[in-house]
Amino acid sequence: MLDVTLESIRGLLFEQGYITDHSIEMALFLSLKLQKPILIEGPAGVGKTEIARVMTQILETELIRLQCYEGLDASQALYEWNYQRQLLHLKASEESGISVEEKEKGLFDEKFLLKRPLLKAIQSPQKCVLLIDEIDRADEEFESFLLEVLSDWQITIPELGTIQASSIPQVIVTGNRVRELSEALRRRCLYLWIDYPDFEKELMIVRHRLPNIDAKLAEQICRFMQVLRAQKLEKTPGIAETLDWATALATLHFSALDKNIIESTLGVILKDWKDIRAIQLSLSELLDKTGVQSKVDSI
């Protein structure tokens, strides 16, 4: 595994296409050195999940992802027994003449175990990156269970015994503040808040991800996004939507924004019809704030 220093982590992140700042660098460095989970919160689309992918590349290891949702329970996160294979095994052993005790012993073999993300992370032969994505969408009961696993880094399977982690995973927990997380989980983790980027950072991200994009178009896109986020919206677009929009406009070979272009592509950056309607009605005003012409001058 790569030995990461505080001085080198910015360059390593940049190599993977992730534009960072000092708070992100420090949080990731300390998380690595202290072997503590890091809880990353912030609006949707600002690059929280992307950090896990980038750290996987930096550490040259495997990414194991647990996507959280309402109703998620321990069996779906840890392990389940493959009942169909177990039944097939029982049928195949009916004529074998072995005792019931031997049948039961063979029934709970590890080959019948369906390994879910947490068990996979614990059994990983090398330090992996474990992404626990959108923890705030899971129930509080699951959050409490998760805290116990992260504290002990071992899992007890009644039929097989206790399995201890070969190496402690690099854990990244993300949340969108759908609900308030417990103090116990917050104390267990280092904390990082990622907000929407300012103009300079967003422009740097767009230029880094799309090096061939027209310079004027890139600036206009980022200025418009800054003004757009200041509006009262149901779903504020993040950097992910900026990159999607920039890619779409570059693919269409546009070199500058105008009112018609924006109106026809609003569905790339806004994902709520009320937001689209509100922005359409106030688009001229927004264009004045960004300095974009209502119509591209004809040549």
Side-chain angles (χ1 to χ4, degrees), residues 198-214:
D198 59 21
F199 171 75
E200 287 77 15
K201 183 177 180 180
E202 190 158 27
L203 181 58
M204 190 182 299
I205 292 170
V206 170
R207 285 177 170 170
H208 187 70
R209 291 291 188 92
L210 301 167
N212 296 323
I213 192 171
D214 184 272

Side-chain angles (χ1 to χ4, degrees), residues 79-259:
Y79 69 91
E80 287 183 291
W81 289 105
N82 190 330
Y83 298 118
Q84 291 182 330
R85 287 196 62 190
Q86 286 175 319
L87 287 173
L88 289 174
H89 174 75
L90 282 176
K91 285 190 175 183
S93 62
E94 283 179 354
E95 304 298 328
S96 62
I98 62 176
S99 66
V100 174
E101 289 77 12
E102 289 175 319
K103 286 181 181 180
E104 288 180 351
K105 185 177 179 180
L107 196 59
F108 293 102
D109 189 275
E110 192 168 344
K111 65 184 178 183
F112 298 122
L113 200 62
L114 296 174
K115 300 178 182 180
R116 302 308 186 195
L118 293 181
L119 181 57
K120 286 182 180 178
I122 282 180
Q123 288 193 312
S124 176
Q126 61 176 343
K127 185 183 185 70
C128 65
V129 174
L130 173 61
L131 169 62
I132 303 173
D133 212 8
E134 298 183 313
I135 181 61
D136 49 333
R137 295 190 180 277
D139 302 327
E140 294 180 10
E141 292 78 6
F142 179 78
E143 184 184 328
S144 300
F145 156 77
L146 179 63
L147 185 64
E148 183 180 351
V149 175
L150 295 181
S151 298
D152 298 335
W153 283 117
Q154 64 180 30
I155 292 173
T156 299
I157 302 176
E159 299 85 358
L160 296 178
T162 300
I163 299 175
Q164 293 185 325
S166 303
S167 59
I168 298 176
Q170 177 63 34
V171 182
I172 295 176
V173 185
T174 72
N176 297 325
R177 299 189 70 85
V178 172
R179 67 171 176 83
E180 189 64 33
L181 300 176
S182 69
E183 289 299 318
L185 178 62
R186 290 183 180 278
R187 287 196 303 269
R188 181 67 179 82
C189 304
L190 300 179
Y191 184 78
L192 175 64
W193 171 266
I194 300 181
D195 210 338
Y196 297 114
D198 59 21
F199 171 75
E200 287 77 15
K201 183 177 180 180
E202 190 158 27
L203 181 58
M204 190 182 299
I205 292 170
V206 170
R207 285 177 170 170
H208 187 70
R209 291 291 188 92
L210 301 167
N212 296 323
I213 192 171
D214 184 272
K216 180 180 179 181
L217 176 63
E219 289 187 14
Q220 288 183 336
I221 287 172
C222 294
R223 290 195 186 281
F224 184 81
M225 293 299 289
Q226 294 291 316
V227 173
L228 186 64
R229 294 191 188 110
Q231 310 306 303
K232 292 182 179 180
L233 301 172
E234 294 290 330
K235 298 185 183 300
T236 303
I239 185 62
E241 284 72 32
T242 302
L243 291 172
D244 286 344
W245 197 30
T247 302
L249 296 180
T251 301
L252 293 168
H253 304 292
F254 290 123
S255 58
L257 290 179
D258 66 21
K259 187 175 182 180

